Amino acid sequence: MTLKPIPFGKPMLGDAERAAVADVLAGTTLVHGPVTHAFEQAFAERAGARHAISVASCTAGLHLALLARGIGPGDAVVVPAMTHVATAHAVEFCGARPVFVDVQPDTGNLDPDGVERALTESKARAVMVVHYLGLPCEMDRINALAGKARAMVVEDCALALDATWDGRKAGTLGAVGCFSFYPVKHMTTIEGGMVTTNDDALAAAIAQRKAFGYDRTLDKRSKPGVYDVTVLGYNYRMNEVEAAVGLAQMAGLDEVQRRRANNDRVIRAGLAVLPEVTVFAPERGPAKSSHYCLNAVLPPDGSIDRDRVAALMKEDGIGTSIHYPEAVPLMTYYRDKYGYTPGSFPVAEWLARQTISLPVGPHLEDGDAERVAHSFVTAVAKARTEQSKGG
Ligand SMILES: *Cc1c(COP(=O)(O)O)cnc(C)c1O
């Protein structure tokens, strides 16, 4: 008997999304329209943010956040060594220099002591805070350090939708928050992103730069087609079809988050029989995770081969992922450009080699969470035995 495959992630699109898209396509307003506006309002409300600005992707949002602060050539920006490359790329897009900081071994989040050192040494003008797999970073300390250094805090919330710090939502914990709606994130618009901020000036600067640098939006043009351009801007907009999908997704978000938390609980309990495996906690002090996935980290001594565990689980039909396959400064582009060498970011390098992400998404059906846990435990035992035999 072959069991139904369980992918790592799966977008949950249904009749509501299809109907919303059909409505947009039946009309003539495909960008700059009421659906995008409604989506932005609903998102701002959920995040508890004064402004939510839709964008083409989280990467675009990160770029715009730095541009809005005037970050450019000659500037330095603190970036965690363990993140999606998008976080560092956004700094490069501005012509600025990423200053990489290693992460904590029990959360994968920015190490505040490292942030303090980097801010002192580099005079960085911004800190990119990545809530690794959805658990908020130590925001009180990081905000205090950044405040003292007059550096802007940008939150990369791509995996942190609805995560909280001391009851406040991710995306409102620094100056600007950036979310992703790529298909396997918490919710999708196919491609897309959202920028949140409580700062009116930053919001205006971001909105202007996402649309060519126009000095006025369509509805503020007294003569149609007449505008001026006062800054260099990009075309980083979201369209009405994407916004329609996003708005429909939001209606189901509470249920999605409940299922993620529940699947996390079940799989976590199943993994408790493996004391040598580190499972990152879903809560730490005031931080509460958004349960993007369940992160298991195999021992640093390499006694269990991560890739073998993933391959064995694949034989069971279970998809896993890796966050992320290499410490960003050791990716070829960054290594070639800045000369980083292996061993400089020991925690990030260990995570890159030994971490495995297990699915907890709403696509898991009855009994699937138990199956994921069982498959992982069995795969770890088998991989360990093979390795000890030198096989
Ligand atoms: C997915 C992801 C991004 C990129 O998001 P896009 O919307 O695809 O640009 C950035 N940062 C992190 C942490 C991510 O997981």
Side-chain angles (χ1 to χ4, degrees):
M1 183 188 74
T2 44
L3 289 164
K4 168 183 67 73
I6 304 173
F8 171 73
K10 182 179 165 192
M12 304 297 279
L13 299 169
D15 291 343
E17 283 80 3
R18 280 186 282 275
V21 168
D23 273 354
V24 171
L25 294 180
T28 53
T29 306
L30 299 179
V31 286
H32 302 297
V35 184
T36 306
H37 190 63
F39 180 36
E40 289 174 336
Q41 276 198 324
F43 197 90
E45 206 165 293
R46 186 171 182 108
R50 208 168 141 86
H51 303 278
I53 304 148
S54 61
V55 285
S57 66
C58 178
T59 310
L62 294 166
H63 184 194
L64 290 168
L66 295 173
L67 287 174
R69 187 56 177 265
I71 285 168
D75 291 329
V77 177
V78 173
V79 177
M82 180 43 61
T83 179
H84 189 286
V85 289
T87 325
H89 280 6
V91 177
E92 291 280 314
F93 294 165
C94 298
R97 179 174 56 90
V99 177
F100 292 102
V101 167
D102 208 356
V103 294
Q104 299 168 321
D106 57 341
T107 63
N109 276 336
L110 259 183
D111 172 18
D113 292 335
V115 172
E116 182 165 27
R117 274 193 301 277
L119 281 171
T120 311
E121 285 162 17
S122 71
K123 308 269 183 295
R125 292 191 59 209
V127 179
M128 304 296 258
V129 167
V130 179
H131 306 308
Y132 182 70
L133 306 179
L135 185 79
C137 291
E138 285 186 35
M139 293 309 295
D140 291 349
R141 271 199 72 198
I142 293 172
N143 277 332
L145 291 166
K148 216 169 74 188
R150 320 237 281 103
M152 171 172 72
V153 173
V154 177
E155 298 176 75
D156 181 336
C157 301
L159 303 180
L161 180 64
D162 290 335
T164 56
W165 173 266
D166 208 6
R168 280 177 303 133
K169 288 265 177 92
T172 64
L173 307 172
V176 181
C178 301
F179 294 82
S180 172
F181 306 131
Y182 182 74
V184 296
K185 310 285 177 160
H186 286 78
M187 58 172 275
T188 188
T189 59
I190 317 308
E191 293 271 15
M194 194 72 81
V195 178
T196 50
T197 181
N198 290 326
D199 182 315
D200 296 346
L202 279 176
I206 288 165
Q208 188 182 8
R209 282 160 184 77
K210 85 165 191 184
F212 303 110
Y214 292 148
D215 66 342
R216 67 206 93 164
T217 51
L218 282 191
D219 51 319
K220 299 207 174 73
R221 291 175 193 166
S222 50
K223 295 181 197 156
V226 175
Y227 55 81
D228 189 17
V229 165
T230 52
V231 294
L232 183 65
Y234 294 73
N235 179 356
Y236 275 168
R237 291 172 303 212
M238 176 180 284
N239 65 52
E240 289 279 286
V241 172
E242 291 166 326
V245 174
L247 198 54
Q249 290 264 287
M250 284 195 74
L253 209 44
D254 286 342
E255 170 67 7
V256 160
Q257 302 293 41
R258 206 186 51 72
R259 293 179 67 155
R260 283 184 174 276
N262 195 49
N263 290 332
D264 180 288
R265 198 156 41 238
V266 172
I267 299 173
R268 190 173 294 277
L271 266 49
V273 297
L274 297 169
E276 73 275 37
V277 174
T278 305
V279 183
F280 285 4
E283 292 188 17
R284 187 178 191 266
K288 283 197 168 59
S289 174
S290 61
H291 304 289
Y292 177 65
C293 60
L294 192 141
N295 193 50
V297 197
L298 302 170
D301 64 9
S303 58
I304 304 164
D305 182 331
R306 187 267 315 273
D307 295 341
R308 183 67 183 138
V309 172
L312 288 165
M313 291 187 73
K314 193 169 172 211
E315 286 174 15
D316 288 342
I318 294 168
T320 57
S321 190
I322 295 170
H323 296 92
Y324 294 89
E326 183 59 280
V328 175
L330 298 181
M331 296 265 188
T332 302
Y333 171 83
Y334 289 96
R335 215 183 43 215
D336 283 357
K337 183 163 181 182
Y338 297 106
Y340 290 109
T341 49
S344 309
F345 303 94
V347 180
E349 291 170 47
W350 162 53
L351 293 178
R353 265 193 316 275
Q354 291 292 74
T355 190
I356 181 164
S357 300
L358 307 181
V360 304
H363 60 295
L364 269 60
E365 293 167 4
D366 279 354
D368 283 357
E370 288 83 353
R371 232 183 98 197
V372 170
H374 178 75
S375 171
F376 179 77
V377 170
T378 313
V380 164
K382 192 160 178 202
R384 192 201 295 110
T385 308
E386 286 173 0
Q387 189 118 334
S388 66
K389 286 182 184 151

